[in-house]
Amino acid sequence: MPRLLGGKSSVATKTHSGEQKSNSKGQQALDPYLMIDELKSDNRSDFMAGFPPHPHRGIETFTYIRKGGFEHRDQMGNVKAIRSGDVQWMSTGRGVVHSEMPLSDAEGMHGFQIWLNMPAKDKMRAPRYQDTTEHPAPQKAIAKAGYFKALAGAWQVEGEVLTSSLQSLAGEGALADVTLTAGSQLHLELAQFGKVMIYIHSGRFENHGEQTLLELDPSQNLALLATDDVGFLILAGQPINEKIAHMGPFVMNTQQELHQAVKDYQQGRFGDIV
C-alpha cells in the first residue's frame, strides 16, 4: 500500500442503504470534491422513489452507475437513460433543475453521485451537460478478472494512457473505478494531481479495517498489491482553496450568494424541466 496522508472512515460521505455517514472534517477535507453519495441496494423500496425535480447552483454533479439505471431530465432539454457502466456530468453553473428517476426494469441499484466544487469565477456561467452513453469510459484489464476504468480525466496505467471523454471537470477532476482480485497489482502515476483519494465500495484493504475513504500522497506513484478482492473509486484533482457556503443543493462562496440562489430559484429563474 502506498504511503497514506490519512485514513478516514467517513468524511462528508453518505450511503442510501440505511446508513448515513459524515464527520466534522467536512467538505474542505475533500477539496475539490464536496460529497461522495453511494446508493447500493437490491431492495426496490430503497431507491424507486428516485429524485424528483430539484435545483442546483455552483457545483458539478458526477454520477456513475455500476448496477441498475435511471432516467435523467433537465431544464436544458436533456433526457437520457443512464445505465450500468455509464457516467453523467453536469456543471450546474448559475442553475440547473433536474430529476433522476430509476428505470422500471432496475432490479437493483449501485451507483454514486459525487459533487465537485466550482471556483467562484465559474459559479455563474451557463450550465453544461455531458454523458458517456455514446463514448463509453475506456477500460484496461488487470490480471485475471480486474480492471481499471477511466471515468473522467486522463490516467497513465501500467504504461498505457486511458483518456475519458469527460475532460472538463472543475478542479481538474479525474475519477476511475478499479477492481482488483487477490494477488493482483496496480501501478499508477499520480504526480499530476494535488489531491488523491480512494473510496472503497467493495471488499477491503489489509490493515485498514472498516475505513472507506483513504487519502494518498500524490507525490508518490501508486504501487498497490491487493491481498483481498477489492473495488474502489479513485478521486483526484487540484484543490480550489476557496471559502465554501453550503445550503442544501446550492454551494457558493458567501451567505449572500446563497440567499440570492434561493431567491432566483423561487422566482423561476432556473427554468423548468421540459
Side-chain angles (χ1 to χ4, degrees):
M1 189 72 191
R3 183 165 67 91
L4 299 175
L5 295 179
K8 308 174 183 66
S9 60
S10 56
V11 179
T13 67
K14 59 181 180 177
T15 70
H16 284 283
S17 55
E19 177 187 5
Q20 180 169 325
K21 301 181 286 186
S22 63
N23 93 15
S24 60
K25 293 190 177 183
Q27 295 161 327
Q28 290 285 7
L30 301 177
D31 191 13
Y33 298 89
L34 293 166
M35 182 189 76
I36 306 167
D37 189 357
E38 181 179 13
L39 175 63
K40 187 176 184 179
S41 179
D42 289 324
N43 184 346
R44 289 173 62 87
S45 65
D46 286 339
F47 59 84
M48 286 308 292
F51 299 92
H54 58 281
H56 291 292
R57 173 179 282 182
I59 65 169
E60 295 187 347
T61 64
F62 183 94
T63 304
Y64 170 50
I65 299 297
R66 301 185 84 247
K67 179 181 180 181
F70 66 91
E71 182 184 73
H72 165 92
R73 292 176 177 265
D74 63 45
Q75 97 283 4
M76 293 177 280
N78 297 300
V79 179
K80 282 292 187 73
I82 307 298
R83 299 181 182 274
S84 178
D86 291 336
V87 177
Q88 176 211 69
W89 168 74
M90 284 196 309
S91 184
T92 69
R94 61 178 176 249
V96 158
V97 177
H98 75 131
S99 63
E100 298 160 305
M101 303 304 293
L103 298 172
S104 60
D105 59 357
E107 296 183 357
M109 182 72 72
H110 186 197
F112 304 86
Q113 184 169 101
I114 296 166
W115 288 10
L116 296 95
N117 194 19
M118 297 181 71
K121 65 182 181 62
D122 294 332
K123 284 185 181 290
M124 293 301 290
R125 75 181 183 194
R128 302 173 183 176
Y129 174 94
Q130 190 176 348
D131 61 52
T132 63
T133 56
E134 296 181 5
H135 302 282
Q139 182 170 310
K140 177 180 175 63
I142 299 176
K144 294 180 180 179
Y147 62 81
F148 184 103
K149 181 181 290 187
L151 305 179
W155 298 88
Q156 188 157 344
V157 187
E158 310 285 353
E160 181 179 342
V161 176
L162 298 180
T163 303
S164 167
S165 59
L166 298 175
Q167 287 291 317
S168 301
L169 276 64
E172 300 177 36
L175 296 96
D177 184 23
V178 183
T179 293
L180 298 178
T181 55
S184 61
Q185 300 182 51
L186 174 66
H187 297 275
L188 185 66
E189 294 190 13
L190 301 175
Q192 68 270 38
F193 303 117
K195 183 80 166 188
V196 183
M197 299 174 289
I198 285 177
Y199 180 85
I200 303 167
H201 57 68
S202 58
R204 68 184 185 90
F205 283 117
E206 188 178 27
N207 301 324
H208 292 287
E210 299 302 316
Q211 292 175 334
T212 57
L213 188 65
L214 306 173
E215 183 175 351
L216 306 184
D217 182 352
S219 69
Q220 296 187 353
N221 288 338
L222 183 67
L224 178 63
L225 172 63
T227 55
D228 300 288
D229 293 350
V230 64
F232 55 94
L233 302 183
I234 306 177
L235 301 89
Q238 303 295 341
I240 294 172
N241 295 318
E242 293 183 354
K243 290 182 179 180
I244 294 173
H246 178 201
M247 181 189 297
F250 308 127
V251 180
M252 303 300 288
N253 298 97
T254 68
Q255 292 297 314
Q256 181 179 358
E257 290 170 339
L258 286 179
H259 295 319
Q260 186 63 51
V262 173
K263 181 178 180 180
D264 289 347
Y265 175 62
Q266 291 176 339
Q267 294 181 348
R269 294 175 182 168
F270 283 37
D272 296 305
I273 294 178
V274 294

